[in-house]
Amino acid sequence: MKHHPPPPPPFSIKKLITWALYALIPLLLFHLYFHPLPLQQQQQPQQQQQQQKKSISVISSQEVVKKTTGIISRSCNYTDGRWVLDNQQGPIYNGTSCSTIKDGQNCMAHGRPDTGYLHWRWQPRGCKLPRFNPSAFLNLIKNKHLVFVGDSMARNQLESLLCLLSTVSTPELVYRDGEENKFRRWSFHEYKANVSVFWSPFLVKGVEKSAALGLKNHNKLYVDVADERWASELHGFDIIVFSIGHWFLHPAIYFEGQEERVLGCHHCREDGFNHSEIGFFDVFRKAVKTTLHEVVERKAMDDGDDHHQLVVVTTFSPAHFEGEWDKAGACPKKEPYKEGERAMEYMDVEMRRIEVEEVEAAKKELLLLQEKKKEKKMVEIEALDVTRMAWMRGDGHPGPYMHAFPFANGVVQERVQNDCVHWCLPGPIDTWNQILMQMLKTWNGRDQQQPL
Ligand SMILES: *[C@@H]1O[C@H](CO)[C@@H](O)[C@H](O)[C@H]1NC(C)=O
Ligand SMILES: *[C@@H]1O[C@H](CO)[C@@H](O)[C@H](O)[C@H]1NC(C)=O
Ligand SMILES: *[C@@H]1O[C@H](CO)[C@@H](O)[C@H](O)[C@H]1NC(C)=O
Ligand SMILES: *[C@@H]1O[C@H](CO)[C@@H](O)[C@H](O)[C@H]1NC(C)=O
């Protein structure tokens, strides 16, 4: 049984259909709901002017936001910007220098011939994003436990970080559990720092589709119960990065409440279930809400625990399938979209919006709780808002290079499996960790200088 939506497992009719469906759902949504987004529909000539105006207003609104809360707003807002070609400095690691890259994402070692995708730097509006500094990052997590929780995108971000950090210090794998090592921990002994990954594709309690459990096609989700596997270990985490999304597109049945009432389902009626179709957006929102509430609640209840936590939600990372997933050239781009070249799809916009809104809601909940308990702030919650920068990077996926040398001997097959969801390592996802580093810096500074 394979768990990651996109690298599709070996061919079988049933799986083929599942994967075709996976590729179709976003397309379907696109056609049903898509309205051009004002955000990106500007005409070329107006664009520059508007950009100038925007960057001015960004700076002034940052001054205002500074007074309230927020890690990103206090220094720089990395959300909006553009990818600029930077041939001076390439990635700090490569497919042979880093031993922990998952095979399917090791594009270099798998023979991807073009290297242009390695030379783009994220240029945020109105500020600069410093280059990743591995030893500085390790110092920031000294005596700390940094944990990635979520699906294979969480794992992709973790593996990017391991590669970045292992350029200065070799991590030792100190714990592993679960098929495909879904639960792992590494120690950077020199820095007394630990980095872990927890598999939890819904963050809430869920049963993944499994023939053994009589769930051939459907996941089961309990939308108001956090997944105990990570939640029970929260007290041992200093920095938590949540990253989920793609698993919510799959057929599922949703439950809620102590009596486990059926809330509805997604794509279950075709299989003879008589639950109402409720889509996945509301369920996704509930799952994120449940998760962040769990973090705040457990922290508030744990009186003996006075270490400060940072909670980061990496926002939805769009897929880039153009047509069928197993057609050669399913994500053929060789460079990023230019600003305004193409609008984000409805689903990507919504998934991001839900996460950003739920982060804001959780911050408010936290603030109220603090006022009530007259305590200093023990948790910081922030969105690592990568959706837009990720959307522009259709060139950064393994595509057919999820397998080694797919076109060996000059043979170009018509059908080839493609991964247009995860990111090549090195690749665009290294930038997520570059931003994470800036968040850690601000968080650390706040911790020492101004206890609230
Ligand atoms: C950062 O910029 C994005 C996009 O312009 C905006 O939605 C968001 O509210 C900003 N964040 C902060 C904390 O100002
Ligand atoms: C990968 O990095 C190592 C170590 O920095 C270097 O020796 C090697 O030449 C690099 N390989 C490629 C293909 O860039
Ligand atoms: C890191 O993991 C090691 C080995 O499991 C453990 O002994 C140590 O206490 C952990 N340190 C932190 C800061 O979590
Ligand atoms: C399906 O549900 C509807 C509404 O809840 C109900 O009226 C109908 O009888 C149900 N059909 C079956 C076959 O159970």
Side-chain angles (χ1 to χ4, degrees), residues 5 9 35 44 46 53 89 93 115 123 126 133 149 162 192 217 225 237 306 311 348 361 372-373 384 407 409 422 452:
H35 302 292
Q44 258 338 74
Q46 291 171 352
K53 270 191 214 148
Q89 292 173 313
Y93 68 94
T115 54
Q123 174 58 63
N133 181 334
V149 186
L162 285 179
K192 297 192 173 59
N217 301 314
V225 185
F237 303 165
D306 62 352
V311 176
D348 302 326
K372 216 161 67 191
K373 295 189 76 180
L384 175 46
F407 309 115
N409 312 320
H422 301 101
L452 289 174

mmCIF file of all heavy atoms in Angstrom, residues 5 9 35 44 46 53 89 93 115 123 126 133 149 162 192 217 225 237 306 311 348 361 372-373 384 407 409 422 452:
data_model
loop_
_atom_site.group_PDB
_atom_site.id
_atom_site.type_symbol
_atom_site.label_atom_id
_atom_site.label_comp_id
_atom_site.label_asym_id
_atom_site.label_seq_id
_atom_site.Cartn_x
_atom_site.Cartn_y
_atom_site.Cartn_z
ATOM 1 N N PRO A 5 -0.075 10.575 -2.379
ATOM 2 C CA PRO A 5 -0.896 10.657 -3.570
ATOM 3 C C PRO A 5 -0.053 10.625 -4.832
ATOM 4 O O PRO A 5 -0.133 9.697 -5.592
ATOM 5 C CB PRO A 5 -1.638 11.960 -3.410
ATOM 6 C CG PRO A 5 -1.568 12.273 -1.967
ATOM 7 C CD PRO A 5 -0.396 11.532 -1.401
ATOM 8 N N PRO A 9 1.939 4.421 -7.713
ATOM 9 C CA PRO A 9 2.499 3.081 -7.562
ATOM 10 C C PRO A 9 2.511 2.360 -8.905
ATOM 11 O O PRO A 9 1.913 2.835 -9.851
ATOM 12 C CB PRO A 9 1.541 2.409 -6.596
ATOM 13 C CG PRO A 9 0.298 3.215 -6.604
ATOM 14 C CD PRO A 9 0.617 4.557 -7.125
ATOM 15 N N HIS A 35 -13.234 31.493 -11.463
ATOM 16 C CA HIS A 35 -13.471 32.846 -11.941
ATOM 17 C C HIS A 35 -12.115 33.523 -11.980
ATOM 18 O O HIS A 35 -11.342 33.370 -11.067
ATOM 19 C CB HIS A 35 -14.382 33.612 -10.998
ATOM 20 C CG HIS A 35 -15.699 32.946 -10.813
ATOM 21 N ND1 HIS A 35 -16.620 32.846 -11.812
ATOM 22 C CD2 HIS A 35 -16.236 32.328 -9.737
ATOM 23 C CE1 HIS A 35 -17.685 32.203 -11.364
ATOM 24 N NE2 HIS A 35 -17.470 31.870 -10.105
ATOM 25 N N GLN A 44 -0.342 44.007 -18.626
ATOM 26 C CA GLN A 44 1.090 44.239 -18.544
ATOM 27 C C GLN A 44 1.474 45.675 -18.204
ATOM 28 O O GLN A 44 2.207 45.898 -17.277
ATOM 29 C CB GLN A 44 1.745 43.865 -19.872
ATOM 30 C CG GLN A 44 2.473 42.555 -19.973
ATOM 31 C CD GLN A 44 2.979 41.885 -18.727
ATOM 32 O OE1 GLN A 44 2.239 41.318 -17.926
ATOM 33 N NE2 GLN A 44 4.264 41.933 -18.540
ATOM 34 N N GLN A 46 -0.023 48.188 -16.877
ATOM 35 C CA GLN A 46 -0.423 48.702 -15.564
ATOM 36 C C GLN A 46 0.376 48.054 -14.457
ATOM 37 O O GLN A 46 0.468 48.567 -13.363
ATOM 38 C CB GLN A 46 -1.896 48.367 -15.310
ATOM 39 C CG GLN A 46 -2.835 49.133 -16.205
ATOM 40 C CD GLN A 46 -4.260 48.609 -16.060
ATOM 41 O OE1 GLN A 46 -4.492 47.597 -15.410
ATOM 42 N NE2 GLN A 46 -5.195 49.303 -16.652
ATOM 43 N N LYS A 53 2.987 50.827 -6.368
ATOM 44 C CA LYS A 53 2.012 51.237 -5.353
ATOM 45 C C LYS A 53 1.956 50.202 -4.241
ATOM 46 O O LYS A 53 1.958 50.514 -3.080
ATOM 47 C CB LYS A 53 0.625 51.351 -5.996
ATOM 48 C CG LYS A 53 0.359 52.746 -6.553
ATOM 49 C CD LYS A 53 -1.109 52.860 -6.914
ATOM 50 C CE LYS A 53 -1.296 53.751 -8.120
ATOM 51 N NZ LYS A 53 -2.423 53.356 -8.941
ATOM 52 N N GLN A 89 24.754 32.034 -7.578
ATOM 53 C CA GLN A 89 24.785 31.062 -6.489
ATOM 54 C C GLN A 89 23.767 29.954 -6.726
ATOM 55 O O GLN A 89 22.582 30.205 -6.782
ATOM 56 C CB GLN A 89 24.459 31.760 -5.170
ATOM 57 C CG GLN A 89 25.540 32.733 -4.744
ATOM 58 C CD GLN A 89 25.123 33.526 -3.537
ATOM 59 O OE1 GLN A 89 24.008 34.053 -3.485
ATOM 60 N NE2 GLN A 89 25.991 33.630 -2.559
ATOM 61 N N TYR A 93 23.623 22.154 -1.816
ATOM 62 C CA TYR A 93 23.833 20.699 -1.830
ATOM 63 C C TYR A 93 23.398 20.169 -3.189
ATOM 64 O O TYR A 93 22.804 20.899 -3.987
ATOM 65 C CB TYR A 93 23.044 20.015 -0.708
ATOM 66 C CG TYR A 93 21.544 20.057 -0.881
ATOM 67 C CD1 TYR A 93 20.856 19.011 -1.481
ATOM 68 C CD2 TYR A 93 20.799 21.144 -0.437
ATOM 69 C CE1 TYR A 93 19.479 19.039 -1.633
ATOM 70 C CE2 TYR A 93 19.427 21.194 -0.592
ATOM 71 C CZ TYR A 93 18.765 20.138 -1.194
ATOM 72 O OH TYR A 93 17.406 20.174 -1.356
ATOM 73 N N THR A 115 19.164 22.164 -15.842
ATOM 74 C CA THR A 115 19.523 22.566 -14.480
ATOM 75 C C THR A 115 19.057 23.989 -14.169
ATOM 76 O O THR A 115 19.304 24.504 -13.094
ATOM 77 C CB THR A 115 21.051 22.510 -14.273
ATOM 78 O OG1 THR A 115 21.671 23.299 -15.289
ATOM 79 C CG2 THR A 115 21.569 21.086 -14.348
ATOM 80 N N GLN A 123 12.432 36.624 -4.569
ATOM 81 C CA GLN A 123 12.602 38.034 -4.248
ATOM 82 C C GLN A 123 11.269 38.577 -3.726
ATOM 83 O O GLN A 123 10.374 38.880 -4.505
ATOM 84 C CB GLN A 123 13.044 38.791 -5.513
ATOM 85 C CG GLN A 123 13.112 40.307 -5.356
ATOM 86 C CD GLN A 123 14.046 40.728 -4.243
ATOM 87 O OE1 GLN A 123 15.241 40.482 -4.300
ATOM 88 N NE2 GLN A 123 13.492 41.360 -3.203
ATOM 89 N N GLY A 126 9.494 44.356 -1.351
ATOM 90 C CA GLY A 126 9.770 45.308 -0.274
ATOM 91 C C GLY A 126 10.825 44.862 0.728
ATOM 92 O O GLY A 126 11.052 45.540 1.728
ATOM 93 N N ASN A 133 21.563 29.726 5.918
ATOM 94 C CA ASN A 133 22.834 29.550 6.610
ATOM 95 C C ASN A 133 22.721 28.355 7.555
ATOM 96 O O ASN A 133 22.120 28.444 8.625
ATOM 97 C CB ASN A 133 23.150 30.836 7.391
ATOM 98 C CG ASN A 133 24.469 30.747 8.124
ATOM 99 O OD1 ASN A 133 24.937 29.657 8.476
ATOM 100 N ND2 ASN A 133 25.069 31.895 8.370
ATOM 101 N N VAL A 149 5.038 17.619 10.803
ATOM 102 C CA VAL A 149 3.884 16.737 10.926
ATOM 103 C C VAL A 149 2.997 16.919 9.707
ATOM 104 O O VAL A 149 2.637 18.050 9.365
ATOM 105 C CB VAL A 149 3.059 17.078 12.191
ATOM 106 C CG1 VAL A 149 1.945 16.058 12.391
ATOM 107 C CG2 VAL A 149 3.938 17.148 13.434
ATOM 108 N N LEU A 162 17.032 18.575 5.913
ATOM 109 C CA LEU A 162 18.137 17.670 6.261
ATOM 110 C C LEU A 162 19.317 17.857 5.318
ATOM 111 O O LEU A 162 20.467 17.870 5.749
ATOM 112 C CB LEU A 162 17.670 16.217 6.210
ATOM 113 C CG LEU A 162 16.800 15.713 7.353
ATOM 114 C CD1 LEU A 162 16.419 14.259 7.098
ATOM 115 C CD2 LEU A 162 17.508 15.840 8.698
ATOM 116 N N LYS A 192 23.175 19.369 19.726
ATOM 117 C CA LYS A 192 22.115 18.861 20.600
ATOM 118 C C LYS A 192 20.729 19.236 20.077
ATOM 119 O O LYS A 192 19.854 19.701 20.813
ATOM 120 C CB LYS A 192 22.293 19.411 22.019
ATOM 121 C CG LYS A 192 23.580 18.968 22.681
ATOM 122 C CD LYS A 192 23.538 19.293 24.176
ATOM 123 C CE LYS A 192 24.716 18.728 24.916
ATOM 124 N NZ LYS A 192 26.019 19.229 24.391
ATOM 125 N N ASN A 217 -11.901 2.223 -1.051
ATOM 126 C CA ASN A 217 -11.743 3.464 -1.800
ATOM 127 C C ASN A 217 -11.783 4.716 -0.948
ATOM 128 O O ASN A 217 -11.533 5.795 -1.443
ATOM 129 C CB ASN A 217 -12.854 3.580 -2.842
ATOM 130 C CG ASN A 217 -12.830 2.416 -3.802
ATOM 131 O OD1 ASN A 217 -11.768 2.053 -4.302
ATOM 132 N ND2 ASN A 217 -13.975 1.810 -4.025
ATOM 133 N N VAL A 225 -11.235 15.388 16.121
ATOM 134 C CA VAL A 225 -10.317 14.697 17.022
ATOM 135 C C VAL A 225 -8.904 14.738 16.420
ATOM 136 O O VAL A 225 -8.690 14.251 15.315
ATOM 137 C CB VAL A 225 -10.720 13.212 17.195
ATOM 138 C CG1 VAL A 225 -9.826 12.539 18.228
ATOM 139 C CG2 VAL A 225 -12.185 13.082 17.575
ATOM 140 N N PHE A 237 7.785 18.876 21.808
ATOM 141 C CA PHE A 237 8.139 19.596 20.583
ATOM 142 C C PHE A 237 8.405 21.065 20.901
ATOM 143 O O PHE A 237 7.669 21.680 21.661
ATOM 144 C CB PHE A 237 6.998 19.556 19.558
ATOM 145 C CG PHE A 237 6.530 18.191 19.146
ATOM 146 C CD1 PHE A 237 5.321 18.044 18.472
ATOM 147 C CD2 PHE A 237 7.275 17.042 19.396
ATOM 148 C CE1 PHE A 237 4.863 16.792 18.071
ATOM 149 C CE2 PHE A 237 6.827 15.792 19.001
ATOM 150 C CZ PHE A 237 5.613 15.667 18.342
ATOM 151 N N ASP A 306 6.865 25.188 30.735
ATOM 152 C CA ASP A 306 6.970 26.625 30.465
ATOM 153 C C ASP A 306 7.935 26.917 29.316
ATOM 154 O O ASP A 306 8.514 27.983 29.251
ATOM 155 C CB ASP A 306 7.371 27.396 31.723
ATOM 156 C CG ASP A 306 8.732 26.952 32.225
ATOM 157 O OD1 ASP A 306 9.267 25.956 31.691
ATOM 158 O OD2 ASP A 306 9.260 27.595 33.151
ATOM 159 N N VAL A 311 4.619 27.308 16.307
ATOM 160 C CA VAL A 311 3.815 26.449 15.456
ATOM 161 C C VAL A 311 3.705 27.094 14.076
ATOM 162 O O VAL A 311 3.275 28.242 13.960
ATOM 163 C CB VAL A 311 2.407 26.251 16.049
ATOM 164 C CG1 VAL A 311 1.537 25.427 15.107
ATOM 165 C CG2 VAL A 311 2.507 25.582 17.414
ATOM 166 N N ASP A 348 -6.431 25.919 -5.261
ATOM 167 C CA ASP A 348 -5.200 26.327 -4.577
ATOM 168 C C ASP A 348 -5.438 27.588 -3.743
ATOM 169 O O ASP A 348 -4.968 27.703 -2.613
ATOM 170 C CB ASP A 348 -4.090 26.579 -5.605
ATOM 171 C CG ASP A 348 -3.821 25.356 -6.468
ATOM 172 O OD1 ASP A 348 -3.949 24.236 -5.945
ATOM 173 O OD2 ASP A 348 -3.499 25.523 -7.655
ATOM 174 N N ALA A 361 -7.401 32.813 13.274
ATOM 175 C CA ALA A 361 -8.402 32.468 14.292
ATOM 176 C C ALA A 361 -7.722 31.873 15.526
ATOM 177 O O ALA A 361 -8.086 32.182 16.667
ATOM 178 C CB ALA A 361 -9.417 31.490 13.714
ATOM 179 N N LYS A 372 -7.249 35.707 29.890
ATOM 180 C CA LYS A 372 -8.002 35.057 30.951
ATOM 181 C C LYS A 372 -7.056 34.523 32.034
ATOM 182 O O LYS A 372 -7.297 34.670 33.218
ATOM 183 C CB LYS A 372 -8.840 33.917 30.363
ATOM 184 C CG LYS A 372 -10.177 33.771 31.034
ATOM 185 C CD LYS A 372 -11.207 32.994 30.228
ATOM 186 C CE LYS A 372 -10.878 31.540 30.034
ATOM 187 N NZ LYS A 372 -11.763 30.908 29.046
ATOM 188 N N LYS A 373 -5.974 33.919 31.585
ATOM 189 C CA LYS A 373 -5.072 33.290 32.547
ATOM 190 C C LYS A 373 -3.968 34.217 33.035
ATOM 191 O O LYS A 373 -3.172 33.855 33.874
ATOM 192 C CB LYS A 373 -4.441 32.032 31.924
ATOM 193 C CG LYS A 373 -5.465 30.947 31.631
ATOM 194 C CD LYS A 373 -4.801 29.641 31.217
ATOM 195 C CE LYS A 373 -4.202 28.894 32.400
ATOM 196 N NZ LYS A 373 -3.551 27.628 32.028
ATOM 197 N N LEU A 384 3.357 29.748 7.131
ATOM 198 C CA LEU A 384 4.476 29.833 6.188
ATOM 199 C C LEU A 384 3.799 29.785 4.817
ATOM 200 O O LEU A 384 3.471 28.724 4.291
ATOM 201 C CB LEU A 384 5.438 28.664 6.400
ATOM 202 C CG LEU A 384 6.627 28.461 5.460
ATOM 203 C CD1 LEU A 384 7.368 29.746 5.197
ATOM 204 C CD2 LEU A 384 7.565 27.421 6.017
ATOM 205 N N PHE A 407 14.143 8.021 -19.847
ATOM 206 C CA PHE A 407 14.270 8.029 -21.312
ATOM 207 C C PHE A 407 15.622 7.468 -21.744
ATOM 208 O O PHE A 407 16.237 7.936 -22.695
ATOM 209 C CB PHE A 407 14.074 9.445 -21.856
ATOM 210 C CG PHE A 407 12.820 10.094 -21.351
ATOM 211 C CD1 PHE A 407 12.885 11.207 -20.531
ATOM 212 C CD2 PHE A 407 11.574 9.564 -21.672
ATOM 213 C CE1 PHE A 407 11.717 11.793 -20.052
ATOM 214 C CE2 PHE A 407 10.402 10.151 -21.193
ATOM 215 C CZ PHE A 407 10.479 11.264 -20.373
ATOM 216 N N ASN A 409 18.547 5.405 -23.362
ATOM 217 C CA ASN A 409 18.765 4.935 -24.740
ATOM 218 C C ASN A 409 17.917 5.694 -25.751
ATOM 219 O O ASN A 409 17.604 5.176 -26.825
ATOM 220 C CB ASN A 409 18.453 3.436 -24.881
ATOM 221 C CG ASN A 409 19.109 2.636 -23.786
ATOM 222 O OD1 ASN A 409 20.249 2.912 -23.414
ATOM 223 N ND2 ASN A 409 18.384 1.669 -23.246
ATOM 224 N N HIS A 422 5.292 16.723 -5.741
ATOM 225 C CA HIS A 422 6.452 16.934 -4.863
ATOM 226 C C HIS A 422 7.507 17.752 -5.589
ATOM 227 O O HIS A 422 7.376 18.013 -6.783
ATOM 228 C CB HIS A 422 7.015 15.575 -4.434
ATOM 229 C CG HIS A 422 5.996 14.753 -3.717
ATOM 230 N ND1 HIS A 422 5.303 13.742 -4.322
ATOM 231 C CD2 HIS A 422 5.536 14.833 -2.462
ATOM 232 C CE1 HIS A 422 4.447 13.215 -3.460
ATOM 233 N NE2 HIS A 422 4.561 13.863 -2.318
ATOM 234 N N LEU A 452 6.311 38.418 27.081
ATOM 235 C CA LEU A 452 5.066 39.184 27.191
ATOM 236 C C LEU A 452 4.393 38.943 28.536
ATOM 237 O O LEU A 452 4.401 37.843 29.038
ATOM 238 C CB LEU A 452 4.115 38.767 26.074
ATOM 239 C CG LEU A 452 4.538 39.228 24.688
ATOM 240 C CD1 LEU A 452 3.607 38.635 23.647
ATOM 241 C CD2 LEU A 452 4.540 40.737 24.584
#
